């Protein structure tokens, strides 16, 4: 058995596991990161998050990650709400309203895969981090002195790894959460979202880098994903009864895009996929020395770009507390504060905001739609209201509120 009484074992080299590991290592805590993927398939992950909010960029900067990501991303100060029914811009929000609140008054459009690629390089180079790729976590045990993680290692052998604490950064299917018997409370939307990646520059139609498009029949999201060469992502709702294969036939994809924005020629479609959206929060974020962070603790709709961001906020909150506990400057009750703070954020901010976002985009009642659009317009036009709105959408308000929780 590999021993280390003060080490933290982090399961998952996703954005949450890696940023947590880097934050801990920076404060001299030894970390062992367990990741099932290998060097030769690590970059072949299904594309997911792409928007990094201003507060997250500040956290990236603390661990030396921001400077690696900025050149690989797109700086996007603006986002739009559109009314697809009338093909009209409803409101434009400018993160410049946050210039006195944050160092980076913009979001960085930079894919999750680039975040983990760069973070993994930093982790591999860090003397306090042992990265174990091709290693699958299977179960764990704990006692008063520490935890033992059971893994299947790169050689296919069963191995036990001992540490002081175990953090699940495994994502939504967390084995740790299941072993702790913690309920994942919430619901799953019956409809799936269709994501189409297309090589096209939608700015020529007046769109900006991030666009939320309301429509009673077919809401949509449109994001500048990467470039040059330009790659955009377009999200559409689907009916639960629709056949996944038929939905993704080239003609069907072209028809959806053309209905959104008529184009004489075929769109250059790069790829497409369907995903299911869950709104769930774990009933508890810890069981003894085993702690949940990121998607293992909460999952939400991507409308608003809050899943990865709030998970990374969990990681830094937790890192600060584990450092104090391991230095014996605080007791384990500090981990209960982590749960109180971050569960509050998951329920009252990420869940509430993303549910509201989807409802607003899909609203069918013409009177409610008009009221929603008027409110967005008024908010965007008033600098004070716009700042308050952006503090909420960029999760800064959630961080400030969490700080007030004892
Ligand atoms: C289409 C889409 C778009 C999105 N867009 C955004 C966005 O713009 N902004 C945003 O903030 N969020 C967004 N999200 C959500 C975001 O992708 C997730 O919240 C985020 O990836 C969660 O990070 P994580 O590190 O907790 O887990 P994951 O990213 O799921 O990483 C988990 C890691 O653990 C590893 N692992 C799992 N089980 C084991 C095991 N047993 N042993 C060893 N390793 C294991 C996995 O291989 C993986 O590397 C989006 C999601 C989707 C589906």
């Amino acid at each position: 058995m590999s021993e280390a009484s003060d080490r933290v074992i982090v399961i998952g080299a996703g954005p949450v596991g890696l940023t947590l590991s880097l934050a801990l290592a920076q404060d001299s805590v030894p970390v062992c990161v367990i990741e099932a993927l290998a060097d030769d398939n690590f970059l072949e992950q299904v594309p997911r998050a792409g928007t990094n909010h201003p507060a997250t960029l500040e956290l990236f900067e603390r661990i030396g990650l921001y400077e690696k990501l900025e050149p690989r991303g797109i700086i996007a100060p603006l986002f739009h709400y559109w009314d697809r029914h009338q093909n009209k811009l409803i409101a434009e929000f400018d993160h410049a309203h946050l210039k006195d609140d944050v160092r980076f008054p913009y979001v960085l459009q930079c894919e999750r895969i680039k975040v983990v690629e760069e973070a993994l390089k930093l982790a591999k180079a860090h003397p306090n981090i042992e990265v174990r790729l091709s290693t699958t976590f299977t179960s764990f045990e704990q006692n008063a002195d520490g935890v033992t993680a059971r893994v299947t290692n790169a050689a296919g052998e069963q191995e036990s790894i001992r540490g002081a604490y175990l953090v699940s950064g495994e994502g939504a299917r967390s084995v740790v959460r299941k072993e702790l018997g913690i309920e994942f409370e919430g619901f799953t939307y019956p409809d799936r979202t269709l994501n189409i990646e297309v090589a096209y520059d939608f700015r020529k139609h007046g769109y900006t880098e991030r666009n939320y498009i309301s429509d009673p029949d077919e809401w949509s999201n449109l994001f500048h994903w990467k470039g040059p060469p330009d790659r955009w992502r377009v999200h559409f709702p689907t009916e639960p009864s629709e056949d996944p294969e038929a939905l993704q036939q080239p003609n069907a994809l072209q028809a959806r895009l053309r209905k959104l924005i008529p184009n004489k020629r075929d769109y250059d479609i790069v790829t497409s996929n369907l995903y299911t959206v869950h709104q769930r929060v774990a009933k508890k974020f810890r069981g003894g020395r085993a702690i949940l962070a990121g998607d293992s603790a909460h999952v939400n709709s991507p409308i608003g770009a809050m899943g990865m961001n709030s998970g990374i906020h969990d990681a830094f909150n937790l890192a600060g507390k584990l450092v104090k506990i391991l230095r014996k400057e605080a007791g384990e009750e500090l981990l209960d504060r982590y749960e109180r703070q971050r569960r509050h954020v998951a329920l009252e901010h990420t869940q509430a905001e993303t549910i509201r976002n989807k409802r607003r985009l899909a609203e069918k009642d013409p009177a409610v739609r008009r009221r929603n659009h008027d409110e967005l317009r008024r908010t965007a036009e008033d600098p004070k209201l716009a700042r308050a709105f952006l503090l909420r959408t960029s999760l800064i308000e959630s961080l400030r509120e969490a700080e007030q929780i004892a």
Side-chain angles (χ1 to χ4, degrees), residues 3-15:
E3 289 282 348
S5 59
D6 59 348
R7 145 169 92 184
V8 176
I9 303 169
V10 175
I11 315 295

Side-chain angles (χ1 to χ4, degrees), residues 12 15-16 35-36 48-51 112 137 169-170 275 295 305 307-309:
V16 174
E35 170 57 53
R48 288 152 72 187
T51 298
R112 174 189 171 283
F137 166 77
E170 300 154 274
Y275 60 89
D295 272 19
M308 179 174 76
N309 283 273

Side-chain angles (χ1 to χ4, degrees), residues 115-135:
V115 174
V116 292
E117 183 184 10
E118 294 297 340
L120 183 64
K121 278 190 219 159
L122 292 176
K124 281 182 174 176
H126 204 295
N128 294 337
I129 304 179
E130 180 193 1
V131 177
R132 303 274 302 260
L133 295 183
S134 313
T135 303

